[in-house]
Amino acid sequence: IKRVGYEKQSINGVVIVFKLEDHYPAKIGDKLANRHGNKGVVTYIEKSENMPRTPWGESLDIIYNPLSIINRMNPGQIYEMYIGMIAKFAAKQLVEWGPKKTQKAIEYLSKIYKGIDNTKGQKYSSDIKKYLTGMSENQYVEFVKDIQARNYFLPIIVPQFQTPTRDQIKRVMNMVGIKNSYKLYLPEYKNTTLRNVAVGYMYFNKLEQQADIK
């Protein structure tokens, strides 16, 4: 049955639906945006093997101009980056402890969610703790497997208009065992950066405003 306007019409035969998708590899001039109203342009594309590496062995995907944070006045970008770090390192710890549900793992997760919870009465973290505590052994095994399949990321959702403060994020970072910046290894020069660099994980979107189309 097919809906046309407010009416439903029967269709005889087979309906074939085509979905077309274009693929545009990133090029200089393409536009990117994050979730904080910040939009930028790709100005240089480096070889993957030359990209700086973190102390835990990951190559960076994007090097972000710090002036864009000042110009756009969006500290939320920094908050998201560090929350992403918390999600990454907490996930690695959880997987390291194994798929067996333990009180130690539940308390660890509960402290992380509670540490960044600004909801009234901390209902958000309280509900998550109830959910984790109520998991069966099999459900917990699947939970850990899913985290591992996501490239080691603990799902963290910050409720709308309830952003954690800088001090809250800093306390949870200390609890998880991460710093606010690191020296990065530069493969091309076989050396590290002179100063520490803020690094983390953020969402980025590649916009439809592509250099090839324009």
Side-chain angles (χ1 to χ4, degrees):
I1 296 175
K2 175 184 176 185
R3 182 179 291 276
V4 180
Y6 293 100
E7 298 180 1
K8 291 182 180 179
Q9 296 181 359
S10 297
I11 298 175
N12 295 323
V14 178
V15 177
I16 301 176
V17 178
F18 290 94
K19 291 185 178 180
L20 303 178
E21 182 177 310
D22 291 328
H23 178 64
Y24 294 97
K27 291 187 177 181
I28 292 175
D30 290 354
K31 286 193 175 181
L32 301 172
N34 61 24
R35 296 186 172 189
H36 302 271
N38 202 354
K39 187 168 60 177
V41 177
V42 177
T43 56
Y44 183 76
I45 298 177
E46 180 59 277
K47 295 177 182 178
S48 297
E49 59 268 26
N50 288 342
M51 290 296 282
R53 292 179 192 164
T54 64
W56 50 96
E58 286 189 80
S59 293
L60 302 191
D61 291 321
I62 296 176
I63 298 176
Y64 209 47
N65 185 345
L67 289 177
S68 62
I69 297 169
I70 299 170
N71 292 341
R72 287 282 180 170
M73 297 184 290
N74 284 330
Q77 301 169 81
I78 305 296
Y79 289 6
E80 182 191 337
M81 183 179 72
Y82 287 138
I83 292 289
M85 281 280 278
I86 292 168
K88 183 77 168 183
F89 278 73
K92 285 184 176 181
Q93 180 63 81
L94 209 62
V95 172
E96 187 179 313
W97 283 338
K100 186 177 180 181
K101 181 182 174 182
T102 63
Q103 189 61 32
K104 179 181 179 182
I106 299 302
E107 289 300 324
Y108 178 73
L109 292 173
S110 299
K111 284 181 181 179
I112 290 173
Y113 286 110
K114 186 176 181 180
I116 56 173
D117 186 7
N118 269 336
T119 59
K120 188 175 181 180
Q122 294 196 311
K123 187 177 185 305
Y124 170 63
S125 56
S126 177
D127 288 345
I128 289 178
K129 185 174 183 178
K130 288 178 185 176
Y131 173 73
L132 293 170
T133 304
M135 276 184 175
S136 66
E137 293 292 340
N138 288 337
Q139 286 175 326
Y140 186 79
V141 168
E142 291 302 316
F143 174 64
V144 174
K145 282 183 179 178
D146 184 61
I147 286 174
Q148 197 168 3
R150 292 172 183 268
N151 193 23
Y152 297 90
F153 272 102
L154 177 72
I156 295 179
I157 300 172
V158 176
Q160 204 170 25
F161 306 119
Q162 305 296 331
T163 305
T165 65
R166 174 185 172 185
D167 288 339
Q168 284 177 302
I169 294 173
K170 190 174 180 179
R171 280 195 294 271
V172 177
M173 286 174 66
N174 289 335
M175 185 181 76
V176 176
I178 53 181
K179 302 176 184 178
N180 60 7
S181 60
Y182 294 88
K183 284 192 175 182
L184 304 180
Y185 179 69
L186 306 173
E188 188 176 7
Y189 303 103
K190 295 180 174 55
N191 208 337
T192 59
T193 54
L194 293 175
R195 298 179 179 84
N196 285 6
V197 179
V199 62
Y201 302 89
M202 294 176 62
Y203 283 101
F204 268 91
N205 302 307
K206 189 164 178 281
L207 302 182
E208 291 183 354
Q209 295 166 306
Q210 303 300 301
D212 278 352
I213 298 175
K214 289 192 171 184

